[in-house]
Amino acid sequence: MADRVVLWDLDHTLLATQGVGRDCFADAFEQVTGRPLENPAEVTGKSEAVIFRETLAAHGLPRDAWPFEEYAEALAAAYLRRAGELRARGHALPGAAAALDALAQLADTVQVPATGNARRVAEIKVATFGLDQHLDLTRGAYGEDADDRPDMVRVALQRAEAPAAAAILFGDTPADVTAGRDVGVFTVGVATGRTPATELEDAGADVVLADLTDTERVVALTRDLAASRTGS
């Protein structure tokens, strides 16, 4: 059991696909349903399973007409087909690689994904941008593990064999922030996505960062979890 667990959201926190994700979504949806993607669900802060079901409903299709596993497999295949495009158009966000590297130097600290992505998609994304070296992908939580973000955080903590008090979560959406707070995890909002810093503060983030470029601050927040909670 690690002394500290770092829970990482992926999209718009560690990386950006720059539209390739939307293209893969359209590819997989049409492959599975036989219908072109015309009314995609809002994706921010949601799991892939929820997005798929809501998109089915938006097209007048039954929410349970196709198993999520079939869609997740098609989505991963789309990312693999578009791997070159993903590498060319997407990128790791500023400071992401340095933050992962620095946190890996902290003793008894494990870093895991807590993401709405399907697991195979998450693996492809972080590997594409060289962000997989320090992430324990076997102990993360993914879009197929839970519909609700708080439950996803609980799954990640269970797999990491850690209590909430030993964890810190970095995410770019109010859903990340409220999930962390609901479970009792120290939560850092990172304003590199669509949500401005003020909204992350309003959602209840313990700390809000403009981005991950201040590596020393990221490390200090993680190292000093107890002090951060008490404000000392």
Side-chain angles (χ1 to χ4, degrees):
M1 182 175 68
D3 287 344
R4 305 177 195 85
V5 177
V6 184
L7 306 172
W8 285 107
D9 176 58
L10 298 186
D11 292 291
H12 304 294
T13 300
L14 289 178
L15 58 89
T17 66
Q18 297 297 96
V20 178
R22 289 192 297 271
D23 295 339
C24 292
F25 180 10
D27 290 350
F29 186 82
E30 184 166 5
Q31 178 181 333
V32 170
T33 67
R35 292 270 300 275
L37 180 65
E38 297 173 342
N39 302 303
E42 169 59 42
V43 302
T44 302
K46 297 178 182 177
S47 72
E48 293 280 14
V50 171
I51 293 166
F52 180 52
R53 291 199 300 270
E54 290 184 355
T55 302
L56 286 172
H59 288 75
L61 301 170
R63 287 174 176 256
D64 58 352
W66 291 272
F68 174 69
E69 292 76 13
E70 181 182 353
Y71 169 73
E73 183 177 340
L75 187 62
Y79 272 97
L80 288 174
R81 286 195 304 273
R82 293 179 178 267
E85 188 179 354
L86 179 62
R87 193 173 296 109
R89 290 169 55 186
H91 56 86
L93 288 170
L100 290 166
D101 289 346
L103 292 176
Q105 306 309 309
L106 289 179
D108 298 316
T109 300
V110 62
Q111 302 183 72
V112 304
T115 174
N117 285 278
R119 176 171 175 173
R120 183 64 186 126
V121 170
E123 292 171 343
I124 293 167
K125 286 181 178 180
V126 295
T128 297
F129 302 120
L131 300 175
D132 55 335
Q133 182 178 359
H134 302 304
L135 288 172
D136 187 340
L137 298 171
T138 66
R139 292 200 276 180
Y142 304 95
E144 53 265 74
D145 291 319
D147 285 349
D148 297 326
R149 302 294 286 207
D151 289 339
M152 199 177 296
V153 171
R154 292 184 181 97
V155 169
L157 291 175
Q158 182 178 25
R159 288 177 176 163
E161 301 180 84
I168 183 169
L169 183 152
F170 292 86
D172 69 286
T173 72
D176 295 313
V177 172
T178 56
R181 289 189 63 82
D182 284 355
V183 180
V185 170
F186 188 86
T187 304
V188 180
V190 186
T192 44
R194 299 184 179 95
T195 305
T198 53
E199 289 187 27
L200 295 172
E201 292 170 355
D202 291 343
D206 293 291
V207 173
V208 176
L209 302 177
D211 53 37
L212 296 172
T213 56
D214 189 345
T215 306
E216 291 185 4
R217 184 85 189 282
V218 171
V219 171
L221 288 168
T222 305
R223 183 187 59 230
D224 303 327
L225 277 174
S228 298
R229 285 179 179 278
T230 61
S232 60

